């Protein structure tokens, strides 16, 4: 029997750690949190110092029983969940469940990297559970519960049941909605630019392009075509010469190693990864992957960090590689660190490879494509951070006639430095910044060959991308880097925002929710207030503030707004349109099928209409979709059946509802017509699995095809029609290599109320899911 018990969060991490510690240690996984606030009530005693009521999470009793059993016979118990506030809270909850007799032998250990060195170093330096960090996590959980549990129900009556309001997610939604309003209200302003093309010394082959920037030594703006024409007339009469030539050597600094937010931003820009995908993939790289004969190895250090600090050993590791691969001239000056911010938690190093020797090329064969691309990004960024700065020769040339001044500037790369290995994502999408300028001297005559005037208009601020919303959240101090992925994922899952051309825009539901929350809670969902609360949580973790006092102060601001909103939770959702039926005001309402425009004088006036949102933010009334006739007679009342659009999709129904409630299942044919399908209808196509007959069945989510040999054969499929109009099974090719990022198990394709998704086959022990994407050959794989 093992003498010592080590408890971690993840089964994947447990396997890696057990390999390094040997047979005197047994490593078990809690599989995340084991205790939490109850789901069916608030679980916080507001009247008694905000004391939380923790309960064992459903399904975790068996896990805790096993941990207690092993702890009772162990000499030492090492609690080793992730080295952050969430991990500290998990350790605290586990310790509270292991019983009084085991408390004396419990120690807290932290692993910054899952390697032999990192594990043995961590186990040799046990500490006590950090109660201040635990209280910081507990305070965040209570704050989120108070807002979510007390505000969310207010959305249900005017909108729909199940909507949620989050303390931090709602602020992120506010940012996206306010940016959309800025875009809609933006009024473009006209301006003109004039580029000149000059021949040096009368040589037509030496042509420089420069932009007009100044008049009489001052910058000026050309506002319209008339002004541009006047300037052009003056330019055509002028004689130009080179008035100034300035050359200087400039440097581009090597990048610092990744923090969590930097990694999320760069993975979004360079790889197209969502913040959620980035963090899930990084988690697997941190916990350990099988590298052939090496066995399981953690490839990167802990991926939730605000720090750009790295250890001297890691620096020496990188510098040795750079010297051998590129030569000493490519070595940087030393351990590179970024500028510290006020709310940095410097407990962990930056995100880096655990060993530079494990180059991307060396480990590629053992990683999935997603894992390899992210590891390559982290590895190259870290090595580049220890390389020399890039150097350019920059030349600035001014061309003038004494009144008007043109300017051109370019730089030529003379020493690649870190760019030999790594170029940041923003630069990759830009045009090549390097340009060659002719070597000209001051007073050189410059003959104007032509002038190119262009009309331009100022542009509205761009919508947020994954990278820019993360950057903004960090800059505003909203949330923590470890929470950005869940913040973005939540507002998407709630259908408050959607991605259009990789940029976020609010849905109609998101607009309405935002207006309701901001109007009724102007203080709680204010950006500066939320950021200030984040700083208070940091103070709790540092022992500079008492957790219950922070909660008391928050609740003092929250309660008056909550009471007022509870009396009348409303907002002005009026439209700038009159009711075409009675002339009253139109307002936005929300029903089972989404938002619509309706008369404010309801029930006296029952006018309602669908609407479309225009580019300027105004709405345009549109006719509701009409029922589609089918030519099929209702077998109950004789009327023509029609296809209706509902929130559940299309349905074939009788227009005589509610007198006649006849509905039919159907499939669309290739010619656009429909075919009625009866329950248990026999199909011509045999089962592709056992070759028995196929039949049409009815389930909770509609009709589907199943094998008549059930339960001996469990084949099922969706329906489609072939070119002959016959109903056939829709055969879906599924990627069988999709693995769970949390536990490493295979994932299976499942179907839910919102469509298909991948779910972990280790359910219910692991409840991880992944969205799907369809490849060109029709294969369904994970995003």
């Amino acid at each position: 029997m093992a003498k010592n018990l080590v408890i971690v969060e993840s089964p994947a991490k447990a396997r890696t750690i057990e390999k390094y510690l040997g047979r005197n240690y047994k490593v078990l996984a809690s599989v995340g949190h084991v205790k939490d606030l109850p789901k069916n009530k608030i679980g916080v005693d507001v009247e008694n110092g905000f004391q939380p009521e923790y309960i064992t999470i459903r399904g975790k009793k068996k896990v805790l029983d096993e941990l207690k059993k092993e702890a009772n016979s162990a000499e030492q118990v090492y609690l080793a969940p992730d080295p952050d506030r969430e991990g500290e809270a998990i350790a605290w909850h586990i310790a509270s469940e292991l019983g009084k007799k085991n408390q004396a032998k419990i120690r807290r250990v932290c692993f910054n990297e899952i390697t032999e060195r990192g594990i043995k170093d961590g186990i040799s330096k046990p500490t006590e559970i950090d109660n201040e960090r635990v209280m910081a996590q507990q305070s965040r959980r209570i704050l989120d519960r108070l807002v979510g549990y007390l505000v969310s129900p207010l959305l249900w009556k005017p909108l729909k049941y199940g909507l949620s309001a989050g303390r931090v997610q709602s602020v992120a939604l506010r940012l996206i909605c306010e940016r959309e309003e800025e875009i809609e209200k933006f009024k473009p302003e006209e301006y003109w630019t004039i580029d000149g093309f000059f021949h040096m010394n009368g040589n037509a082959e030496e042509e420089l392009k420069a932009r007009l920037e100044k008049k009489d030594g001052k910058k000026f703006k050309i506002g319209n075509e008339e002004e541009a024409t006047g300037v052009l007339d003056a330019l055509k009469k002028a004689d130009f010469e080179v008035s100034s030539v300035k050359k200087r050597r400039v440097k581009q600094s090597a990048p610092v190693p990744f923090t969590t937010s930097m990694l999320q931003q760069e993975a979004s820009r360079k790889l197209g990864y969502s913040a959620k995908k980035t963090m899930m993939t990084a988690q697997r790289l941190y916990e350990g992957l099988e590298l052939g004969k090496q066995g399981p190895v953690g490839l990167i250090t802990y991926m939730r960090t605000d720090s750009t600090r790295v250890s001297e050993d890691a620096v020496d590791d990188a510098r040795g590689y750079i010297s051998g691969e590129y030569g000493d001239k490519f070595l940087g000056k030393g351990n590179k660190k970024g500028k510290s911010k006020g709310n940095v938690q410097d407990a962990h190093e930056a995100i880096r490879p655990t060993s530079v020797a494990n180059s991307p090329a060396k480990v590629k064969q053992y990683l999935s494509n997603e894992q390899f691309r992210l590891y390559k990004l982290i590895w190259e960024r870290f090595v580049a951070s220890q390389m020399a700065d890039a150097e350019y020769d920059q030349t600035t040339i001014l061309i003038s006639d004494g009144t008007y001044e043109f300017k051109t500037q370019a730089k030529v790369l003379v020493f690649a430095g870190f760019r030999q290995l790594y170029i940041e994502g923003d630069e990759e999408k830009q045009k090549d910044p390097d340009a060659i300028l002719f070597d000209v001297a001051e007073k050189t005559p410059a003959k104007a060959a032509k002038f190119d005037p262009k009309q331009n208009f100022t542009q509205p601020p761009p919508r947020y991308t994954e990278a820019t919303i993360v950057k903004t959240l960090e800059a505003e101090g909203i949330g923590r880097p470890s929470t950005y992925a869940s913040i973005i994922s939540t507002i998407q899952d709630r259908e408050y925002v959607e991605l259009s051309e990789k940029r976020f825009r609010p849905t109609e539901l998101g607009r309405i929710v935002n207006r309701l929350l901001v109007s009724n809670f102007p203080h709680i969902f204010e950006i500066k207030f939320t950021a200030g609360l984040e700083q208070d949580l940091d103070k709790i973790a540092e022992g500079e503030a008492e957790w219950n006092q922070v909660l008391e102060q928050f609740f003092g601001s929250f309660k008056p707004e909550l009471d007022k909103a509870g009396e009348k939770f409303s907002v002005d959702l009026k439209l700038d349109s009159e009711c075409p039926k009675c002339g009253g005001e139109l307002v936005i309402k929300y029903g089972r099928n989404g938002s619509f425009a309706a008369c404010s004088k309801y029930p006296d006036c029952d006018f309602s209409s669908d609407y479309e949102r225009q580019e300027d933010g105004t709405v345009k009334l549109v006719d509701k979709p009409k029922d589609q006739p089918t030519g099929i007679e209702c077998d109950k009342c004789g009327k023509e059946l029609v296809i209706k659009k509902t929130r559940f999709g299309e349905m074939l129904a009788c227009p005589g509802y509610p007198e006649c409630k006849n509905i039919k299942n159907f499939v669309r044919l290739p010619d656009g017509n429909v075919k009625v399908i009866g329950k248990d209808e026999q199909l011509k196509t045999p089962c592709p699995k056992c070759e028995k007959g196929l039949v049409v069945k009815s389930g909770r989510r509609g009709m589907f095809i199943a094998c008549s040999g059930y339960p001996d054969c469990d084949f099922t499929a969706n329906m489609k029609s072939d070119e002959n109009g016959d109903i056939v099974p829709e055969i879906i090719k599924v990627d069988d290599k999709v693995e769970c990022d949390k536990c490493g198990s295979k994932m299976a394709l499942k179907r839910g109320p919102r469509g298909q998704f991948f779910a972990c086959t280790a359910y219910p022990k692991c409840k991880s899911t992944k969205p799907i994407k369809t490849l060109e050959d029709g294969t369904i794989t994970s995003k």
Side-chain angles (χ1 to χ4, degrees):
M1 183 175 292
K3 295 180 181 179
N4 303 294
L5 173 65
V6 180
I7 301 173
V8 297
E9 289 180 58
S10 158
K13 191 196 295 186
R15 289 192 295 271
T16 310
I17 293 173
E18 198 162 61
K19 180 188 80 167
Y20 293 123
L21 290 179
R23 60 185 181 182
N24 284 332
Y25 292 84
K26 183 165 188 175
V27 186
L28 297 177
S30 68
V31 195
H33 282 272
V34 294
K35 299 180 79 174
D36 196 7
L37 301 176
K39 289 185 177 181
N40 59 350
K41 60 180 179 177
I42 192 168
V44 178
D45 190 347
V46 176
E47 302 298 327
N48 189 27
F50 301 93
Q51 290 297 322
E53 177 192 339
Y54 290 115
I55 62 169
T56 300
I57 295 172
R58 187 176 181 180
K60 290 299 178 74
K61 185 180 182 302
K62 187 177 179 181
V63 173
L64 285 172
D65 287 344
E66 183 182 6
L67 296 180
K68 288 178 191 176
K69 180 182 175 183
E70 293 295 333
N72 289 338
S73 58
E75 289 184 8
Q76 293 289 330
V77 178
Y78 297 98
L79 302 179
D82 286 349
D84 57 13
R85 293 178 193 172
E86 290 293 323
E88 209 71 32
I90 292 172
W92 184 60
H93 283 139
I94 293 173
S96 70
E97 290 293 311
L98 293 184
K100 290 183 179 180
K101 70 175 185 178
N102 289 319
Q103 295 305 305
K105 54 186 176 182
I106 292 176
R107 295 290 182 270
R108 172 76 164 117
V109 294
C110 294
F111 304 134
N112 189 52
E113 57 183 68
I114 309 301
T115 60
E116 183 173 9
R117 179 180 59 186
I119 299 303
K120 291 184 176 179
D121 185 57
I123 213 78
S124 68
K125 298 175 182 177
T127 62
E128 302 300 319
I129 292 173
D130 188 331
N131 285 314
E132 289 164 345
R133 295 177 76 189
V134 172
M135 291 303 105
Q137 187 278 342
Q138 177 172 277
S139 300
R140 181 187 296 279
R141 186 71 186 95
I142 292 173
L143 286 168
D144 291 344
R145 172 53 66 96
L146 290 173
V147 173
Y149 202 90
L150 298 175
V151 177
S152 295
L154 298 176
L155 295 169
W156 300 347
K157 186 175 181 180
L159 299 178
K160 64 177 181 178
Y161 180 79
L163 294 179
S164 69
R167 181 181 63 86
V168 181
Q169 294 96 321
S170 298
V171 179
L173 172 63
R174 179 176 184 171
L175 286 170
I176 293 170
C177 288
E178 289 180 349
R179 175 59 59 87
E180 194 69 22
E181 290 171 7
E182 285 182 63
I183 295 170
E184 292 167 352
K185 293 175 182 177
F186 182 81
K187 303 296 182 185
E189 293 183 11
E190 182 183 6
Y191 70 97
W192 287 67
T193 57
I194 298 177
D195 290 329
F197 295 83
F198 300 92
H199 293 161
M200 299 293 104
N201 294 309
N203 186 347
E205 293 182 1
E206 293 187 356
E207 185 175 83
L208 280 183
K209 178 183 177 183
R211 175 153 295 180
L212 179 62
E213 290 203 349
K214 291 183 179 180
K215 180 181 179 182
D216 296 326
K218 297 180 180 179
K219 288 201 171 187
F220 77 113
K221 180 180 177 182
I222 303 173
N224 53 52
E225 185 175 8
E226 184 180 354
E227 292 178 13
T229 301
V231 172
L232 282 169
D233 289 341
L235 293 175
K236 290 174 182 177
K237 299 173 185 177
D239 293 322
F240 292 90
E241 69 175 13
V242 176
S243 60
S244 173
V245 178
K246 291 182 179 179
K247 296 181 179 180
R248 65 189 185 104
R249 181 67 57 91
V250 295
K251 293 185 177 182
Q252 181 184 6
S253 297
V256 295
F258 280 133
T259 63
T260 302
S261 65
M262 288 179 192
L263 176 63
Q264 291 172 354
Q265 292 173 57
E266 192 74 339
S268 174
R269 287 189 291 254
K270 295 191 77 164
L271 308 180
Y273 286 7
S274 67
K276 181 178 180 180
K277 180 175 180 177
T278 297
M279 295 308 291
M280 290 176 68
T281 308
Q283 183 86 32
R284 292 287 289 129
L285 294 173
Y286 162 70
E287 290 176 346
L289 296 164
E290 291 285 342
L291 301 185
K293 293 180 180 179
Q294 289 188 61
V297 176
L299 287 173
I300 65 171
T301 54
Y302 191 56
M303 65 287 161
R304 295 185 179 92
T305 176
D306 294 344
S307 176
T308 56
R309 172 181 59 82
V310 292
S311 70
E312 291 300 327
D313 288 343
V315 171
D316 293 342
D317 196 15
R319 290 177 67 83
Y321 175 86
I322 295 164
S323 179
E325 188 73 16
Y326 300 105
D328 289 347
K329 68 178 182 178
F330 280 88
L331 287 171
K333 291 182 178 179
N335 198 343
K336 189 173 185 64
K337 299 178 184 178
K339 294 180 180 179
S340 295
K341 298 178 183 178
N343 60 348
V344 165
Q345 297 173 25
D346 198 45
H348 313 297
E349 290 185 58
I351 305 168
R352 61 168 176 82
T354 55
S355 173
V356 172
N358 282 325
S359 66
K362 185 177 179 180
V363 302
K364 182 177 182 179
Q365 61 180 312
Y366 305 112
L367 309 185
S368 69
N369 185 51
E370 292 174 356
Q371 293 164 351
F372 169 74
R373 294 179 72 202
L374 190 66
Y375 179 67
K376 183 172 183 285
L377 185 69
I378 294 168
W379 188 92
E380 289 182 347
R381 173 76 169 225
F382 170 64
V383 175
S385 74
Q386 305 306 317
M387 294 177 74
D389 297 341
E391 295 183 12
Y392 297 84
D393 276 343
Q394 180 174 286
T395 305
T396 302
I397 298 176
L398 303 180
I399 300 172
S400 174
D401 71 337
T403 301
Y404 293 98
E405 183 178 274
F406 288 78
K407 178 182 177 181
T408 185
Q409 186 181 72
K411 57 184 182 181
V412 179
L413 183 67
V414 293
F415 176 62
F418 75 90
R419 290 174 65 91
Q420 189 77 14
L421 175 65
Y422 181 83
I423 299 175
E424 291 190 88
D426 283 343
E427 287 190 76
E428 281 188 342
K429 294 180 180 179
Q430 297 171 0
K431 293 181 179 178
D432 185 1
D434 301 344
I436 298 175
L437 288 172
F438 295 109
D439 189 12
V440 297
E442 292 184 5
K443 304 299 182 181
T444 300
K447 182 176 176 58
K450 66 175 181 176
F451 297 104
D452 182 17
K454 285 185 179 178
Q455 183 189 38
N456 304 277
F457 292 92
T458 54
Q459 297 296 310
R463 293 186 177 95
Y464 290 109
T465 62
E466 282 256 5
T468 56
I469 192 65
V470 167
K471 186 176 182 179
T472 303
L473 290 171
E474 182 180 38
E476 296 288 355
I478 299 168
R480 302 297 313 160
S482 59
T483 65
Y484 296 156
S486 63
I487 290 169
I488 295 169
S489 178
T490 297
I491 58 177
Q492 286 181 277
D493 292 344
R494 298 296 180 192
E495 299 180 355
Y496 294 161
V497 302
E498 60 188 2
L499 273 175
S500 175
E501 298 178 348
K502 296 186 178 181
R503 292 186 179 272
F504 288 110
R505 62 191 308 165
T507 62
E508 285 302 315
L509 176 60
R511 286 173 181 264
I512 296 170
V513 167
N514 178 63
R515 288 176 68 178
L516 282 166
L517 293 178
V518 172
S519 296
N520 290 279
F521 295 91
H523 187 53
I524 299 304
F525 296 118
E526 203 269 328
I527 293 170
K528 288 184 179 179
F529 178 83
T530 305
L533 201 53
E534 204 65 56
Q535 292 173 359
D536 290 338
L537 293 173
D538 290 342
K539 289 178 182 177
I540 295 171
E542 297 298 325
E544 298 174 3
E546 293 294 328
W547 71 274
N548 47 6
Q549 290 179 6
V550 169
L551 292 176
E552 251 179 65
Q553 187 176 2
F554 165 80
F555 203 71
S557 300
F558 177 50
K559 188 66 164 60
E561 289 188 354
L562 181 67
D563 291 341
K564 187 176 179 182
E567 293 172 7
K568 189 179 181 182
F569 189 63
S570 63
V571 69
D572 182 7
L573 293 174
K574 293 178 182 177
L575 298 174
D576 295 328
S577 303
E578 289 185 353
C579 173
K581 193 171 182 179
C582 73
E585 291 181 324
L586 289 180
V587 295
I588 294 177
K589 297 279 189 180
Y590 202 88
R592 290 184 303 172
N593 300 325
S595 57
F596 62 95
C599 184
S600 59
K601 294 185 177 180
Y602 180 85
D604 296 330
C605 177
D606 62 356
F607 174 80
S608 66
S609 171
D610 285 345
Y611 66 88
E612 292 177 348
R613 182 74 62 174
Q614 305 298 297
E615 287 297 320
D616 62 358
T618 60
V619 299
K620 175 185 176 183
L621 300 182
V622 296
D623 293 332
K624 289 187 176 181
K626 295 181 180 179
D627 296 338
Q628 179 186 335
T630 61
I632 301 171
E633 186 178 291
C634 175
D635 55 0
K636 291 187 178 181
C637 71
K639 292 182 179 180
E640 182 183 8
L641 294 178
V642 295
I643 294 177
K644 293 180 173 288
K645 289 190 175 182
T646 74
R647 59 179 173 145
F648 302 107
E650 293 182 329
M651 63 182 293
L652 185 62
C654 181
Y657 182 88
E659 288 78 16
C660 180
K661 299 180 180 178
N662 192 18
I663 59 172
K664 299 286 185 181
N665 293 293
F666 73 97
V667 65
R668 284 192 179 274
L669 302 177
D671 61 6
N673 291 321
V674 300
K675 180 177 182 180
V676 176
I677 303 168
K679 185 180 178 182
D680 295 328
E681 181 174 330
Q682 301 285 329
L683 303 185
K684 299 177 182 178
T685 307
C687 174
K689 198 170 181 180
C690 71
E691 297 190 351
K692 291 183 180 179
L694 293 176
V695 294
V696 175
K697 294 287 184 182
S698 179
R700 288 184 302 166
R701 300 189 181 102
M703 307 296 283
F704 64 97
I705 292 173
C707 181
S708 60
Y710 180 83
D712 296 329
C713 179
D714 61 357
F715 174 80
T716 60
N718 293 328
M719 295 183 296
K720 71 173 186 178
S721 62
D722 61 15
E723 61 276 5
N724 300 318
D726 292 327
I727 300 169
V728 295
E730 182 181 15
I731 305 299
I732 300 172
K733 293 187 290 182
V734 181
D735 183 358
D736 61 358
K737 295 181 181 179
V738 179
E739 291 185 353
C740 176
D741 291 321
K742 289 186 177 179
C743 70
S745 300
K746 292 289 185 183
M747 301 198 88
L749 188 66
K750 300 288 184 180
R751 180 177 291 276
R754 294 183 179 178
Q756 292 177 312
F757 62 95
F758 279 104
C760 183
T761 54
Y763 181 88
K765 190 174 182 180
C766 178
K767 299 180 181 179
S768 178
T769 62
K770 280 186 178 182
I772 68 166
K773 71 174 179 181
T774 305
L775 303 179
E776 290 183 2
D777 64 356
T779 301
I780 293 180
T781 186
S782 65
K783 285 187 179 179

